[in-house]
Structures are given as C-alpha cells and as structure tokens.
Amino acid sequence: DTGVSQNPRHKITKRGQNVTFRCDPISEHNRLYWYRQTLGQGPEFLTYFQNEAQLEKSRLLSDRFSAERPKGSFSTLEIQRTEQGDSAMYLCASSLAGGHYEQYFGPGTRLTVT
Amino acid sequence: AQSVAQPEDQVNVAEGNPLTVKCTYSVSGNPYLFWYVQYPNRGLQFLLKYITGDNLVKGSYGFEAEFNKSQTSFHLKKPSALVSDSALYFCAGGYNKLIFGAGTRLAVHP
C-alpha cells in the first residue's frame, strides 16, 4: 500500500505526558498537512510543510504543539504536557505542491488523554 | 472569515433514488472546492474537486457536484443511490489549507 501511513493508530496517555505521532506521506508528494478532528466535526487545519519548510501554522497550534519534517519526507507531531482537550483524531495528509491538488489522507492517530 | 457550511446533519435516501448533499462556502477569490467521504475506521477519501472551468464536475463512484458561484454552493449529487454510499461526507474549500464543513451523514435505505 503506497498511501499515507500514520503511527501509532491509537494512543492513550495520561494528562501531562508528552506524545509524538508519525506520518509517512505518499513518496512523490512534497506537501504534508496535519489536521485535528473531534467527534462530530470536520477536520481542522493545524499546519503544513512544503518539503522541510513549515509554511503555515494555525492559531490552534499552541506552544505545546510542535511539528517537524526534517528531511522533507516523514513528519512528526509532538504534543507536550497533554491536556484532556487534546483528545482527538490527528490526521495527516499529503499532496503535490499547489492548492489545486487534492490531499490524500492517512487513517489518523486517535489520541485519548485520561 | 472563510467558512464552509453543510446545513444538513443527515440525509436519508432510498436506494435507487437520486441524492443531494448540500454545501455552501464563504471563501474569498476563486475557491478550490473538494468533496471527501469517510467510512467507519477509515481515512478521508477524495471524491472530486472544482478548480475552474465546467461547473459540473464528475468524480469517483458515480458522484458529481455542481459549482454555483452566484449561490456560493457546491452540492454533491448522484443519480441513483446505493446502500454502500452510506457514509459521512465532508465538503472542503481553500487554497493550501482546507477548511472543512461539519459533515453530513448519508443513510441510504434498501
């Protein structure tokens, strides 16, 4: 399967712990996006990269959140000092460069903060 | 502020009947608009997009959508619904980052 992959698929953590998620995009895609989806809502944009450069960050991405894409391939999203409000599905997507290209989504990482 | 709205939480259709899932947008300029479908325990799947040109765009699985600039709408349609079309449908718009609607659950009854 050459689609977008995300690991882990599920993560349960205690409040105050740090968590890190990984996303592997479709190999020829140079754009990578992170979204967050809560129950009953559509995905909300968090940030996106073109190659290794982080081009935009949402105001939703507080200073506890950091994303990297060090070699322009896979990306990591880290949440420090998790809070119960961080519980959500974290989605990764990738695309070719250009807003007119569709984004292909991975299966998501479901985070539960207890 | 830019936004995408899906006014119906749920749409119920009998199998074989035509279906419409509504979407309206408020995106500046000439928007790029997309429809995605989400099945349980699976990621969002791309259905179709409007970039420019013909207002009627065709996509996967027999779906199509009509772009209407004057009504700022981008409704998803299918001439004959299948039970297997039952899923959660999202409309999205934007240029790089996507702004999603809240989703519409489509239930197709046999």
Side-chain angles (χ1 to χ4, degrees), chain A residues 31 35 56 99-100 102-103, chain B residues 36 49 95-98:
Chain A
R31 284 201 177 174
Y35 292 84
E56 187 171 349
H100 57 293
E102 59 272 22
Q103 297 176 23
Chain B
Y36 286 84
K49 65 182 178 183
Y95 298 100
N96 296 304
K97 65 183 183 185
L98 291 179

Side-chain angles (χ1 to χ4, degrees), chain A residues 58-109:
Chain A
S58 165
R59 288 173 295 174
L60 293 173
L61 213 66
S62 75
D63 56 5
R64 296 186 298 107
F65 288 70
S66 62
E68 295 182 341
R69 195 183 183 199
K71 297 182 179 179
S73 57
F74 73 91
S75 175
T76 57
L77 177 69
E78 181 183 16
I79 308 175
Q80 296 181 326
R81 305 182 303 281
T82 53
E83 301 172 356
Q84 287 190 322
D86 297 331
S87 296
M89 178 74 85
Y90 290 84
L91 300 172
C92 176
S94 70
S95 76
L96 296 171
H100 57 293
Y101 288 108
E102 59 272 22
Q103 297 176 23
Y104 291 89
F105 283 79
T109 295

Side-chain angles (χ1 to χ4, degrees), chain A:
Chain A
D1 190 337
T2 57
V4 178
S5 62
Q6 293 186 246
N7 288 288
R9 295 291 305 275
H10 303 274
K11 179 70 176 179
I12 300 174
T13 191
K14 293 184 178 179
R15 187 177 53 190
Q17 298 294 305
N18 299 343
V19 294
T20 300
F21 309 141
R22 175 176 171 132
C23 171
D24 288 88
I26 294 171
S27 58
E28 61 266 31
H29 287 176
N30 47 11
R31 284 201 177 174
L32 187 148
Y33 308 79
W34 286 99
Y35 292 84
R36 181 171 67 187
Q37 185 178 21
T38 54
L39 199 62
Q41 299 297 319
E44 294 176 294
F45 170 79
L46 293 178
T47 188
Y48 87 96
F49 295 83
Q50 181 158 316
N51 300 314
E52 64 275 9
Q54 189 173 19
L55 296 188
E56 187 171 349
K57 291 169 55 174
S58 165
R59 288 173 295 174
L60 293 173
L61 213 66
S62 75
D63 56 5
R64 296 186 298 107
F65 288 70
S66 62
E68 295 182 341
R69 195 183 183 199
K71 297 182 179 179
S73 57
F74 73 91
S75 175
T76 57
L77 177 69
E78 181 183 16
I79 308 175
Q80 296 181 326
R81 305 182 303 281
T82 53
E83 301 172 356
Q84 287 190 322
D86 297 331
S87 296
M89 178 74 85
Y90 290 84
L91 300 172
C92 176
S94 70
S95 76
L96 296 171
H100 57 293
Y101 288 108
E102 59 272 22
Q103 297 176 23
Y104 291 89
F105 283 79
T109 295
R110 181 168 296 283
L111 172 66
T112 302
V113 181
T114 62

Side-chain angles (χ1 to χ4, degrees), chain B residues 73-93:
Chain B
S73 66
F74 188 55
H75 299 333
L76 181 70
K77 300 181 179 184
K78 187 173 183 181
S80 179
L82 300 172
V83 172
S84 58
D85 293 331
S86 298
L88 190 56
Y89 290 80
F90 290 98
C91 181

